[in-house]
Amino acid sequence: MEILKCDNVRKVYDSGSNQVTALDGIDLTVEKGEFVAVTGASGSGKSTLLHILGGVDQPTEGRVMVEGTDISTMNRTQAAIFRRRKVGLVYQFYNLIPTLTIRKNILMPLLLDKKKVNQEYFEQIVESLGIENRLEALPGQLSGGQQQRAAIARSLIYRPAILLADEPTGNLDRKNSVEIMDLLKLSNRNLNQTIVLITHDEKAALEADRILTIADGKVVSDRRRNELHDR
């Protein structure tokens, strides 16, 4: 089932008298349950693509459909609500609220909507991520790897249509990076969570089922992992 679709997405930034084309005609389809990595050099447009897929930014042209809903025409308030309910976002920096416990940080998307917590699902997530014993701690009392686990748990709590991860291992050492990638794969496999990973880390990208490469705002390569292994 198609869960994400981009039709001829362009993003042009005005910089004084100059125009900078960050995305130049992106066509992309992601099926439910896919784990897709997007790679490319710095400035290739991959982070701009993630922001547009998450409704953080709007395309200059084209459409972005998430579960059949066109998010490219939403205003800021509509996009924020849709993002909270349908798009899980994981960044390099964890963006946890320092004065709230890990439990409340994870549950924040539900609390904002006054939604009832599915306790069984909550326990499944925190146990899978190995932070069930750290729920009453504050973020500053956790290691970087544990904080990223909490950020992933928060992104999953609303059962989002898609999880977007922007360099989630970029602030971690190799051991924690491997663990975070294993946890993303676990959520993809056990929860059938659709994931789009933005990364410059080739080892991280090779953990995905499908690898897209972007250069100069265009998709220049779209391959399955087994196709890479066959070469």
Side-chain angles (χ1 to χ4, degrees):
M1 183 182 85
E2 180 182 285
I3 204 162
L4 171 67
K5 184 176 179 63
C6 294
D7 284 326
N8 194 32
V9 169
R10 298 185 76 247
K11 181 64 180 181
V12 179
Y13 293 103
D14 285 317
S15 179
S17 60
N18 297 321
Q19 286 192 333
V20 178
T21 301
L23 297 177
D24 191 9
I26 297 288
D27 291 311
L28 172 64
T29 300
V30 176
E31 298 293 318
K32 181 173 177 58
E34 273 197 295
F35 187 173
V36 180
V38 180
T39 66
S42 178
S44 61
K46 59 185 188 297
S47 290
T48 301
L49 176 62
L50 179 133
H51 291 149
I52 287 176
L53 296 182
V56 178
D57 201 355
Q58 288 185 319
T60 306
E61 296 177 21
R63 295 192 312 161
V64 178
M65 310 291 290
V66 177
E67 282 194 328
T69 299
D70 186 353
I71 68 170
S72 51
T73 59
M74 290 181 175
N75 62 37
R76 184 169 296 184
T77 300
Q78 292 170 329
I81 293 171
F82 186 87
R83 187 164 58 247
R84 186 166 72 233
R85 296 173 179 172
K86 290 292 186 179
V87 180
L89 286 166
V90 180
Y91 290 104
Q92 177 177 346
F93 299 99
Y94 323 116
N95 294 334
L96 300 174
I97 300 172
T99 55
L100 295 182
T101 64
I102 293 302
R103 181 188 300 275
K104 287 186 177 178
N105 267 284
I106 293 170
L107 295 176
M108 184 55 63
L110 296 178
L111 297 175
L112 288 170
D113 276 348
K114 297 181 173 58
K115 293 284 187 180
K116 185 177 179 180
V117 177
N118 181 326
Q119 195 62 34
E120 182 180 352
Y121 180 61
F122 173 76
E123 290 174 3
Q124 179 186 2
I125 290 174
V126 297
E127 287 173 9
S128 294
L129 293 169
I131 52 174
E132 69 273 20
N133 296 323
R134 307 295 287 155
L135 297 176
E136 305 313 318
L138 295 174
Q141 297 172 306
L142 272 60
S143 68
Q146 289 172 328
Q147 289 186 63
Q148 190 63 292
R149 290 164 186 254
I152 292 171
R154 180 185 56 194
S155 75
L156 293 171
I157 195 64
Y158 226 120
R159 298 178 187 261
I162 186 168
L163 188 152
L164 302 175
D166 189 5
E167 303 282 7
T169 62
N171 202 35
L172 302 174
D173 60 29
R174 175 51 61 181
K175 178 178 179 292
N176 277 301
S177 294
V178 170
E179 290 179 356
I180 292 300
M181 288 306 303
D182 286 343
L183 292 168
L184 289 176
K185 289 192 293 183
L186 185 70
S187 68
N188 171 249
R189 183 171 64 248
N190 290 0
L191 303 176
N192 198 33
Q193 178 63 58
T194 308
I195 299 174
V196 176
L197 167 71
I198 304 292
T199 184
H200 68 277
D201 185 338
E202 184 177 343
K203 289 184 178 179
L206 288 171
E207 298 294 336
D209 303 315
R210 179 179 164 204
I211 302 173
L212 302 180
T213 303
I214 292 183
D216 299 323
K218 298 179 180 181
V219 176
V220 295
S221 174
D222 183 353
R223 294 181 180 177
R224 299 281 169 182
R225 183 174 55 183
N226 59 354
E227 293 175 344
L228 295 175
H229 289 168
D230 290 341
R231 289 178 62 86

